[in-house]
Amino acid sequence: MDVIAALDSSRRSMGFLTLSEMLAQFGEDVRMPDPASVLVSPGTILESGVVLWPGTILQAVGRATIEIGAGTILFPGTRVVAVDGRIAIGAQAEIGEEGGFTLKAEAGSLITVGDGARLLGGGSLSGGNDIGRGGQILGPIRCQNCRLGAGATYRDPDPDERGGVLKGSGVARNVDVPQGSVIQAFGLFSEGTLRRQSYFHPK
């Protein structure tokens, strides 16, 4: 058995597309510098311009769905896993820079990530989470059932117009951050102080 056949056999046994199936399904619409290092489950919806850097995993198990919008970038070490749940990521999002990121939706859970959101630094989303347009999670933060209000992206010159932000490290459970606001914490984000983003980025 040659190397490609062995890889394809292993992929198929674990519920992923074979290398040839993945390339045939996404063609030139999805950019993969190293497709042999990328794992994608059948039924995953990737819109035009998605970038999958080496080591990314998109795994849908059971009655799960994963959808990723146009132009979104998944950096090395990013895992998007749905086990009888649903994950919907918008367009032009940036996920997993500076250490990867994990999104995991289990049975009945819905994780939504809006257009232009940025999730970096080795954090994770589990349970139900709603990351609005332009929302940011910056650092190794374990988020469970959190909501970040929708707003402009981090490129907007007015910080108080941007989506909600969590920054630091630790655990965020049932935390709600409105548009233009931020919680910086190192531990439990439920005990952190909610501030306007202009506190950290004066106008």
Side-chain angles (χ1 to χ4, degrees):
M1 181 180 291
D2 63 30
V3 173
I4 297 299
L7 288 174
D8 283 347
S9 176
S10 181
R11 285 169 177 260
R12 193 177 288 110
S13 70
M14 298 179 72
F16 294 105
L17 295 170
T18 66
L19 187 58
S20 58
E21 288 170 341
M22 190 170 63
L23 293 173
Q25 179 170 334
F26 302 118
E28 297 181 357
D29 287 341
V30 174
R31 298 162 61 192
M32 293 180 280
D34 183 11
S37 71
V38 172
L39 298 173
V40 179
S41 288
T44 300
I45 299 172
L46 304 177
E47 295 188 10
S48 179
V50 167
V51 178
L52 303 180
W53 281 100
T56 56
I57 299 173
L58 308 178
Q59 183 177 19
V61 179
R63 301 180 65 180
T65 59
I66 295 173
E67 304 170 18
I68 300 179
T72 283
I73 302 173
L74 302 186
F75 289 93
T78 297
R79 297 175 62 242
V80 180
V81 180
V83 182
D84 293 317
R86 179 173 177 239
I87 297 175
I89 300 172
Q92 304 295 325
E94 300 174 22
I95 300 178
E97 193 171 16
E98 299 180 14
F101 209 91
T102 298
L103 294 80
K104 187 171 184 179
E106 297 184 318
S109 294
L110 169 63
I111 294 176
T112 59
V113 178
D115 296 349
R118 185 167 65 148
L119 315 178
L120 58 79
S124 66
L125 299 177
S126 63
N129 291 271
D130 180 13
I131 309 303
R133 179 182 186 274
Q136 299 182 76
I137 299 174
L138 310 176
I141 304 168
R142 295 171 54 199
C143 299
Q144 302 167 358
N145 304 312
C146 292
R147 177 186 174 276
L148 302 185
T153 74
Y154 71 93
R155 294 185 174 89
D156 193 281
D158 186 345
D160 292 338
E161 294 297 321
R162 300 171 188 169
V165 175
L166 295 174
K167 60 187 295 186
S169 63
V171 178
R173 293 191 183 97
N174 304 308
V175 172
D176 189 332
V177 181
Q179 176 189 9
S181 297
V182 56
I183 297 176
Q184 182 180 40
F186 300 91
L188 294 177
F189 279 76
S190 59
E191 299 176 357
T193 301
L194 183 69
R195 294 185 170 97
R196 299 301 290 169
Q197 291 185 37
S198 53
Y199 176 87
F200 293 98
H201 304 284
K203 299 182 183 180

